[in-house]
Amino acid sequence: MKRLKYIWILSLMALVLGMITVFSFTIGRYSLPVDELLRYIFTGDYTDENLPLLVMRVRLPRILIAILAGGALSVSGAAYQGLFRNPVVSPDILGVSSGAGFGAAVAIMLSAGIAGIQVTAFVAGLIAVALSLSVSRVMAMNHDRLLLLVLSGMIVGAMFTALTSLMKYLADSESRLPEITFWLMGSLTDVSMREIRVVAPLVLAALVPLLLNSWKLNILSFGDEEAKSLGVNAGRLRLTLVCCASLLTASVVSVTGIIGWVGLIIPHFTRFFVGADHRRLLPASFLVGAAFLLLVDDLARSVSSLEIPLGVITALIGAPMFFLALRMAEKK
Amino acid sequence: MELEIRNATLGYSGKAVLTDVNLTLSTGTTTCFLGKNGAGKTTLFRSLLGLVPLLGGDVLLDGRSIRRWGRRDYARVVAYVPQARALAFPFPVRDVVLFGRTAHLSTFAYPRRKDRLIADDCLERLHISHLSDRLFTRLSGGEQQMVIVARALAQQPTFLIMDEPTASLDFGNQVKIIAQVNALKDESLGILMATHEPDHAFMCRANVLVAHNGKLWKSGDCDSVITDAMLKEIYDVNVCVCRMKDVNNRIIRTCLPVI
């Protein structure tokens, strides 16, 4: 694809994201017409006295986290798919989500409070990835390294899922159990600017190395041996990028709870528009993922008076979308 | 420049595949590597490229041990054409060839115009420019193989190591690859090529290396190494090495199985 066409498509994606962002401010229980919102943004005037609070304290953090989470999960997924040379890999493959889920469950059991849950989930997610990496190291050397890594990820993931089930079984069914269950289904409800201030730098810190190495990520998708013969230090680079991609997912998931499917389908979908080159795929995935999660969250908070968990909607929309993406790839 | 294997034992985690390996490749020569399936040809290649650790001995490039070469520096000198394998993502052909430029880029750099021109040039050389905008994953096995050769050329290497580059090619493309190998030799590249066609050695006027029973059994000039007896020994079939004249009255040799 020509560079110009790519820039065009990327601008279009950014524009769509911008429009969805504005639109998202107007959605919710408390109605806020677009003209009121635009007037407030551009002139600072408002008639409704609740408006500043609503926009700045309630909807802004939520919209920001939706953008951050959608973008980060998608970039993480795209990177994972490249690293594992497999377009149906998702960021959960090394157990980061299961680990975070378990961490959150433990913290909820200990009544650790929101910050405690987030920190524990974050740490446990990274521990799960570290475990997967080291388990694959211990196993025999002569096998396909990637296959071993996937298998270790499955083992570690299953273990943490089992532990989470144990926590749920032990949890008080009146209060703790629902809380754990809701966490595992994902939600952006409890997010305030405090979380944004922590998550945003983490996401940025993990994005930068991924973007800088996006060319080499292409080379890695040929497999370690070919990458090495092309002059890339494959083992070390893969490890670095796996860590960055896991950091992306862990930092988001620890705040939002588990949101499946985004990291799997968005890169798939985006690849259809901008091609497989990771230099283009990563930035484009961020924009598409952000827009997608914003829309999903809009749905979650507007469809019924009761908020629908995000993970439920992403799965409901994600499954057919995945099918569609596969069909589109087939046609192309 | 020379690429050399010295007193090496090659294999995987303690299990030797080839022992007492001594081999010197020079620029401006072609070496054809014969041996039946499983004789250790790919193992030797992987060792030469530093993809598997040596069980003993050393690989020297330009007199310096491979252990002391960085990946990128090594890839600027030695390029590899592996046997074709499936690729997970639909990269366009031009990008695949461009990946060959990676070793010449600085750490976080992207390919520039100059690199794109080199890539186009390599496609041109192999007469596959018409494939440039196609998706690599949608090509036939033979076309993919040609693209991978182009990628190796884009590395602008001094040594070119090819693992059965003609394996999935039709007759015409096989001849084109052989012709290209001869042209590259004349540009003073050193080429090491595994093949299952002894005839290729004659066509390349190559040195021949034969792996057999865990050793490098024979090496030398193609006319002296490729004999009825040698082929009978390694492939266990009866072969007649025939001499005939081509249209220009040059003597050429070819191997005919006796069935």
Side-chain angles (χ1 to χ4, degrees):
Chain A
M1 188 198 303
K2 292 283 171 286
R3 194 181 164 78
L4 198 66
K5 192 178 164 202
Y6 164 68
I7 293 173
W8 226 93
I9 290 181
L10 201 71
S11 318
L12 201 68
M13 286 171 171
L15 184 70
V16 170
L17 175 60
M19 282 160 55
I20 295 176
T21 308
V22 172
F23 170 71
S24 302
F25 273 104
T26 67
I27 281 197
R29 296 275 88 191
Y30 197 99
S31 82
L32 170 62
V34 182
D35 52 339
E36 290 263 321
L37 173 74
L38 291 178
R39 189 155 51 122
Y40 174 64
I41 293 174
F42 289 110
T43 67
D45 298 339
Y46 52 90
T47 44
D48 185 340
E49 59 187 21
N50 289 328
L51 196 135
L53 184 76
L54 180 74
V55 170
M56 299 308 291
R57 300 291 286 280
V58 180
R59 294 201 178 149
L60 181 65
R62 186 151 185 167
I63 284 166
L64 284 179
I65 196 69
I67 290 175
L68 273 177
L73 286 172
S74 307
V75 173
S76 174
Y80 263 112
Q81 291 174 2
L83 289 167
F84 285 87
R85 306 166 52 201
N86 190 334
V88 291
V89 155
S90 74
D92 313 333
I93 191 109
L94 293 182
V96 61
S97 301
S98 337
F102 171 67
V106 169
I108 291 169
M109 293 287 279
L110 298 172
S111 318
I114 292 183
I117 295 172
Q118 288 164 351
V119 171
T120 327
F122 178 71
V123 172
L126 291 184
I127 287 177
V129 174
L131 266 178
S132 300
L133 290 172
S134 30
V135 168
S136 76
R137 281 284 155 117
V138 175
M139 290 202 261
M141 294 283 285
N142 273 354
H143 289 91
D144 183 349
R145 280 271 177 77
L146 280 185
L147 186 65
L148 282 183
L149 201 50
V150 173
L151 289 175
S152 340
M154 283 174 68
I155 295 170
V156 171
M159 201 181 74
F160 276 109
T161 310
L163 287 174
T164 309
S165 300
L166 183 67
M167 288 296 127
K168 285 162 93 173
Y169 179 70
L170 295 174
D172 165 18
S173 60
E174 290 295 315
S175 58
R176 301 275 159 74
L177 180 58
E179 203 182 330
I180 294 177
T181 312
F182 282 129
W183 196 93
L184 291 176
M185 291 194 285
S187 163
L188 307 181
T189 317
D190 295 328
V191 177
S192 65
M193 285 312 275
R194 190 178 58 85
E195 278 88 3
I196 306 279
R197 275 193 284 272
V198 179
V199 173
L202 280 174
V203 166
L204 202 67
L207 273 179
V208 168
L210 282 171
L211 291 174
L212 283 177
N213 286 296
S214 52
W215 173 255
K216 288 185 178 163
L217 195 50
N218 290 337
I219 315 284
L220 281 185
S221 65
F222 278 85
D224 278 14
E225 296 218 331
E226 281 189 61
K228 283 175 184 169
S229 76
L230 288 169
V232 172
N233 206 325
R236 207 173 57 197
L237 184 63
R238 174 166 278 123
L239 187 67
T240 314
L241 297 186
V242 161
C243 292
C244 290
S246 305
L247 182 64
L248 269 184
T249 303
S251 46
V252 163
V253 164
S254 60
V255 173
T256 64
I258 292 174
I259 302 174
W261 285 91
V262 176
L264 171 64
I265 44 164
I266 298 300
H268 231 287
F269 216 68
T270 313
R271 208 173 277 122
F272 181 76
F273 294 106
V274 300
D277 189 338
H278 290 87
R279 284 179 299 169
R280 293 166 175 185
L281 181 61
L282 296 188
S285 291
F286 190 95
L287 296 178
V288 176
F292 174 75
L293 203 64
L294 256 182
L295 277 179
V296 166
D297 189 49
D298 289 345
L299 266 179
R301 59 202 173 96
S302 64
V303 164
S304 75
S305 57
L306 198 72
E307 268 209 40
I308 306 173
L310 270 190
V312 174
I313 305 186
T314 53
L316 279 179
I317 300 181
M321 236 178 108
F322 189 51
F323 177 73
L324 196 71
L326 288 179
R327 287 288 303 218
M328 278 158 80
E330 189 76 13
K331 288 232 176 70
K332 202 177 182 185
Chain B
M1 203 189 282
E2 287 183 340
L3 178 56
E4 199 178 341
I5 304 184
R6 205 178 276 173
N7 301 324
T9 307
L10 315 176
Y12 306 96
S13 56
K15 192 173 169 295
V17 177
L18 286 171
T19 51
D20 300 326
V21 181
N22 281 289
L23 168 66
T24 304
L25 301 171
S26 310
T27 47
T29 62
T30 306
T31 306
C32 280
F33 194 5
L34 300 179
K36 63 181 176 189
N37 294 120
K41 298 191 293 294
T42 304
T43 306
L44 184 133
F45 287 171
R46 297 173 75 201
S47 308
L48 261 182
L49 289 154
L51 301 177
V52 287
L54 301 166
L55 301 180
D58 208 353
V59 170
L60 305 169
L61 174 61
D62 202 16
R64 180 150 57 120
S65 167
I66 189 171
R67 284 179 260 257
R68 297 177 51 215
W69 280 85
R71 281 269 172 239
R72 188 161 53 156
D73 292 335
Y74 201 76
R76 289 180 186 182
V77 186
V78 183
Y80 182 41
V81 177
Q83 290 183 33
R85 259 184 304 154
L87 183 59
F89 301 106
F91 288 109
V93 165
R94 183 178 280 120
D95 282 4
V96 173
V97 177
L98 212 46
F99 294 152
R101 296 300 301 159
T102 306
H104 295 273
L105 302 174
S106 53
T107 309
F108 296 128
Y110 294 155
R112 294 160 181 277
R113 203 177 122 77
K114 184 192 69 166
D115 300 299
R116 278 193 289 276
L117 290 177
I118 291 171
D120 285 343
D121 190 47
C122 295
L123 285 163
E124 183 70 37
R125 278 195 74 144
L126 296 171
H127 312 291
I128 49 171
S129 297
H130 59 284
L131 300 178
S132 299
D133 295 318
R134 300 263 304 275
L135 293 179
F136 183 81
T137 37
R138 290 294 164 92
L139 301 182
S140 73
E143 289 169 327
Q144 291 189 346
Q145 187 69 48
M146 299 290 276
V147 174
I148 296 299
V149 174
R151 187 187 72 186
L153 293 185
Q155 273 176 266
Q156 298 183 317
T158 309
F159 290 98
L160 183 57
I161 297 176
M162 304 203 274
D163 199 352
E164 292 174 33
T166 57
S168 47
L169 299 186
D170 67 35
F171 187 71
N173 278 337
Q174 288 196 27
V175 175
K176 280 178 199 159
I177 289 281
I178 298 292
Q180 200 52 236
V181 164
N182 287 340
L184 291 169
K185 180 176 76 172
D186 292 340
E187 288 172 28
S188 79
L189 262 78
I191 297 153
L192 174 63
M193 171 170 104
T195 178
H196 287 306
E197 285 286 344
D199 282 349
H200 290 163
F202 292 129
M203 293 181 216
C204 296
R205 306 298 315 149
N207 294 319
V208 175
L209 200 62
V210 183
H212 190 52
N213 289 337
K215 304 262 183 207
L216 286 189
W217 183 42
K218 287 205 159 136
S219 68
D221 161 51
C222 56
D223 291 338
S224 60
V225 173
I226 300 181
T227 59
D228 303 3
M230 187 282 283
L231 293 171
K232 167 77 182 163
E233 170 68 23
I234 63 168
Y235 294 119
D236 194 26
V237 287
N238 293 315
V239 182
C240 166
V241 178
C242 307
R243 295 155 61 101
M244 52 179 93
K245 284 186 179 159
D246 71 1
V247 283
N248 298 322
N249 261 338
R250 282 183 311 191
I251 301 241
I252 47 170
R253 291 168 190 246
T254 184
C255 302
L256 282 180
V258 181
I259 301 172

